[in-house]
Amino acid sequence: GPDAVYVAGGTETRTHGWDVVLLKYSTGGKRLWTRTYDGATHRSDEVWDLDVDGRGRARVVGSSFVAEGSENKALLVGWSADGSRRWVRTFRGAGQQAAFAAVTTGNSAIWVAGHVDTGTQREWVVARYSASGAREWLTRWPGAPGDPRGGTAHGCLTYGAGGLFVGGAVNTAAEGDDAHVVWFQR
């Protein structure tokens, strides 16, 4: 962000497990503010990535606990430069979801990459949100041919105004996971 350093992670509380925590520091190391997010179930909320646009608006992605049986939903939280929480977006299909990477484009659109795990199949999920948090687009990819599990998305990078490269792993080899890059286009 402009003239600032942002740090995202988790903080554990005595009453309801892990919460998302976002800290903003000046470039001189002075902490300017600390913000937290606690999901609706007051259980485990995890951070996997953080991105900040040119206006200092932070976007944190991860997962939020839904129900017993290790079910989570993908999580995207947007904060303004002054630390006020602007919006929270989640995605939940069948099974467990998580958002693992986020990147903001020049027009402040937010791309998010993650996965949906139904127990028998894992699909990569890519979504694009506007700066105001409105979901504009979502697509799923079941993984490479020969990969019964569908793989896992780990990072993303924008390409032009309407494309996203997502890096991750697929399990097509007997020795374990192989690196994989997929290009998604809006």
Side-chain angles (χ1 to χ4, degrees):
D3 299 324
V5 176
Y6 293 78
V7 178
T11 182
E12 189 172 18
T13 65
R14 292 180 192 192
T15 57
H16 47 77
W18 288 96
D19 291 340
V20 170
V21 63
L22 177 66
L23 301 103
K24 182 178 180 179
Y25 292 89
S26 70
T27 54
K30 179 183 177 191
R31 187 172 56 193
L32 302 174
W33 48 254
T34 301
R35 301 295 184 262
T36 60
Y37 169 76
D38 177 27
T41 62
H42 307 295
R43 299 285 291 275
S44 182
D45 301 298
E46 296 181 330
V47 174
W48 291 100
D49 199 13
L50 160 71
D51 195 65
V52 180
D53 70 10
R55 295 181 181 164
R57 296 178 294 193
R59 279 66 179 226
V60 173
V61 295
S63 62
S64 187
F65 181 82
V66 175
E68 296 302 327
S70 298
E71 289 195 16
N72 292 304
K73 57 186 171 185
L75 174 68
L76 171 63
V77 183
W79 276 279
S80 64
D82 67 3
S84 58
R85 189 172 65 218
R86 298 181 68 212
W87 42 261
V88 176
R89 301 294 180 260
T90 59
F91 171 77
R92 181 161 187 252
Q96 179 166 292
Q97 294 78 41
F100 288 104
V103 64
T104 305
T105 62
N107 63 358
S108 296
I110 307 131
W111 288 88
V112 177
H115 74 260
V116 173
D117 190 346
T118 64
T120 58
Q121 177 68 33
R122 179 175 288 167
E123 295 181 341
W124 294 26
V125 176
V126 173
R128 179 182 159 127
Y129 293 82
S130 69
S132 64
R135 189 169 71 197
E136 300 173 336
W137 180 80
L138 182 131
T139 191
R140 295 164 80 147
W141 181 63
D147 179 7
R149 294 184 310 149
T152 305
H154 294 291
C156 58
L157 176 70
T158 57
Y159 176 74
L164 184 77
F165 285 104
V166 178
V170 295
N171 191 2
T172 56
E175 297 84 33
D177 291 343
D178 290 331
H180 211 73
V181 176
V182 179
W183 179 36
F184 292 91
Q185 188 173 9
R186 182 176 159 209

